[in-house]
Amino acid sequence: MQQQFEAVSMTGGHGTNSYANNSLLQRDGANLVKTMIEEAVAEKLEIDTFPSVGTFNITDLGCSVGPNTFLAVQTIVKALEHKCASLGLSSCMPEFQVFFSDHSSNDFNTLFASLPPNRPYFATGVPGSFYGRLFPKASLHFAYSSYALHWLSKVPKEVLDRNSPAWNKGRVICLGGPREVFEAFSRHFGRDVEAFLSARAQEMVSGGIMGLIILGRDDKVAEAKSPIGVIGGVLGSVLMDMAAKGTIEEAKVDSFNLPIFTPTAKEYQKLVESNGYFSIEKLELVRDDSDRSSDVAIDPKMLAMHGRAATEDMVRKHFGHEVVDEVYQRGEKKIMENSHLFKNANVLLPSLFVILKRKADPQIA
Ligand code: SAH
């Protein structure tokens, strides 16, 4: 049985269950790395080596509908203006073009309608998957992406095959189950990272910078206990409870997996190195188990709403709209029972912060 969705999209619009109203945790993460982005632009971006830049091209890949993308873009543009000014380029300050990019199914109408009115940049929407080419050759100076690259291009087919040792029966996430399931997801993630980096390598100018925030995994925490392991486990057990009650078919649960892989810093570093087009300027896990800097407190309802905004579209397409409310009501209850695992937002969203620089071509060979 095939999964019914092809592209993952967050819930659009401005309603109670929308991504726009349920992405505070992601925003909190972007704030935490604001300083790091500013440093990357100030210290790593060698604007003066670019052939006279009239227009500075920036993209946010997997931008969703806002508001987080606007905050991130504002940070990047401000940092660039500051950099140009510090280099004495104030009189010939480049103009900024921002490409907001996401799947074509993303709610671009909501995004465009909420663009900040006095923005210091030109705004464009670019539809399509970031696992393929989206921009002309050597046209991008800064590429940003936050909380998007853990979404795989699709669910690996082995995990849906009842004859494969990697069949993920009765479960919807790759963590905390059979090793073969984890390995199938890990291999697929590796291929996706390779496709992502190779496409960007074509599109970025030499010396261009990528700032990536990726939902990651702390290698000191057992996979099943990692936040995504726990949340995926909750969703899987809710669906199995509903199958036991006869509300949904068990075979439908077996054929449903969240196309998510959360890499450790080491796993991601290996993939970037084997791709070879980018130098690693920074790659570290932030907001890990030991980090207590966030002041966003977690409550089970909020967590269920965040989970809903990110997964509702897939759940509805696969199981039908009539079961959606029940899935998330049951989910909230189960999260409540496990609330000791989610004391604050850091524990919830361990994130890789990655700064990559496009190598100059002669270095690549
Ligand atoms: N960057 C925003 C949104 C994160 S939600 C923030 O930090 O709040 C993840 C986004 O990634 C979604 O909008 C989803 O549609 C997008 N996405 C996932 N896979 C993608 C792909 N292959 N190509 C383009 N966008 C993708």
Side-chain angles (χ1 to χ4, degrees):
M1 199 183 293
Q2 281 293 309
Q3 291 206 177
Q4 295 301 304
F5 54 86
E6 280 174 354
V8 173
S9 284
M10 306 301 102
T11 305
H14 283 293
T16 321
N17 294 324
S18 65
Y19 186 78
N21 283 328
N22 290 286
S23 44
L24 183 68
L25 294 175
Q26 289 85 338
R27 183 170 80 215
D28 195 46
N31 280 342
L32 280 177
V33 295
K34 185 168 179 263
T35 327
M36 286 197 247
I37 287 199
E38 286 164 355
E39 273 174 27
V41 170
E43 289 163 21
K44 310 286 184 197
L45 193 69
E46 293 151 29
I47 293 188
D48 37 338
T49 65
F50 292 162
S52 73
V53 180
T55 308
F56 206 94
N57 292 323
I58 300 161
T59 183
D60 183 3
L61 301 160
C63 61
S64 191
V65 294
N68 296 349
T69 186
F70 305 129
L71 295 171
V73 160
Q74 184 185 322
T75 303
I76 297 164
V77 170
K78 273 214 172 123
L80 288 167
E81 282 176 344
H82 193 255
K83 171 111 186 182
C84 292
S86 73
L87 290 169
L89 300 175
S90 304
S91 54
C92 52
M93 187 69 83
E95 293 189 301
F96 299 99
Q97 172 86 56
V98 176
F99 298 95
F100 293 95
S101 183
D102 208 295
H103 282 306
S104 53
S105 54
N106 184 54
D107 184 357
F108 280 101
N109 283 336
T110 295
L111 174 86
F112 290 148
S114 22
L115 276 164
N118 296 317
R119 53 192 178 275
Y121 54 83
F122 297 97
T124 310
V126 175
S129 169
F130 48 54
Y131 292 124
R133 284 286 303 278
L134 294 165
F135 302 96
K137 280 194 176 149
S139 63
L140 289 176
H141 301 93
F142 195 101
Y144 173 81
S145 179
S146 75
Y147 297 109
L149 290 167
H150 57 284
W151 290 110
L152 300 182
S153 57
K154 63 180 175 70
V155 172
K157 59 179 182 324
E158 310 90 288
V159 307
L160 303 174
D161 174 2
R162 55 175 57 238
N163 298 316
S164 163
W167 187 32
N168 204 15
K169 179 169 175 44
R171 302 168 26 81
V172 304
I173 195 87
C174 66
L175 301 169
R179 206 61 210 150
E180 289 86 350
V181 174
F182 176 85
E183 280 162 5
F185 272 82
S186 167
R187 274 195 306 276
H188 195 99
F189 181 72
R191 287 196 294 271
D192 280 349
V193 171
E194 175 63 26
F196 175 82
L197 293 176
S198 297
R200 298 300 82 74
Q202 302 275 312
E203 296 165 353
M204 298 202 66
V205 298
S206 306
I209 293 280
M210 277 211 276
L212 312 175
I213 303 170
I214 307 169
L215 195 56
R217 214 170 75 248
D218 187 341
D219 49 15
K220 296 186 292 305
V221 175
E223 284 163 18
K225 294 243 165 68
S226 73
I228 298 301
V230 174
I231 293 168
V234 165
L235 183 58
S237 84
V238 161
L239 292 169
M240 285 305 274
D241 289 351
M242 289 171 70
K245 245 185 56 191
T247 317
I248 53 180
E249 282 172 51
E250 191 170 331
K252 280 234 145 190
V253 183
D254 295 341
S255 63
F256 180 79
N257 277 257
L258 296 174
I260 292 178
F261 186 82
T262 48
T264 63
K266 272 196 207 116
E267 286 165 354
Y268 204 74
Q269 180 182 341
K270 254 174 114 179
L271 293 169
V272 176
E273 284 170 355
S274 89
N275 171 266
Y277 286 112
F278 292 89
S279 62
I280 299 176
E281 305 293 324
K282 187 166 223 154
L283 200 168
E284 64 186 34
L285 187 77
V286 292
R287 318 176 83 197
D288 64 2
D289 228 22
S290 58
D291 182 352
R292 292 285 176 273
S293 60
S294 171
D295 54 2
V296 175
I298 297 297
D299 74 82
K301 188 164 185 71
M302 170 190 176
L303 196 49
M305 301 268 284
H306 271 66
R308 180 171 186 155
T311 58
E312 176 176 352
D313 188 50
M314 286 175 274
V315 168
R316 188 176 349 89
K317 283 181 181 146
H318 192 81
F319 295 100
H321 66 92
E322 57 296 339
V323 303
V324 168
D325 284 337
E326 184 176 344
V327 168
Y328 294 101
Q329 277 153 14
R330 283 172 173 265
E332 188 181 328
K333 255 204 191 139
K334 283 215 190 222
I335 288 172
M336 204 108 68
E337 289 156 17
N338 287 291
S339 59
H340 59 286
L341 295 169
F342 305 111
K343 283 183 229 73
N344 80 13
N346 300 309
V347 187
L348 194 63
L349 291 183
S351 311
L352 297 184
F353 183 79
V354 185
I355 300 280
L356 303 180
K357 187 189 273 196
R358 176 68 167 94
K359 291 177 184 170
D361 275 324
Q363 278 175 264
I364 289 161

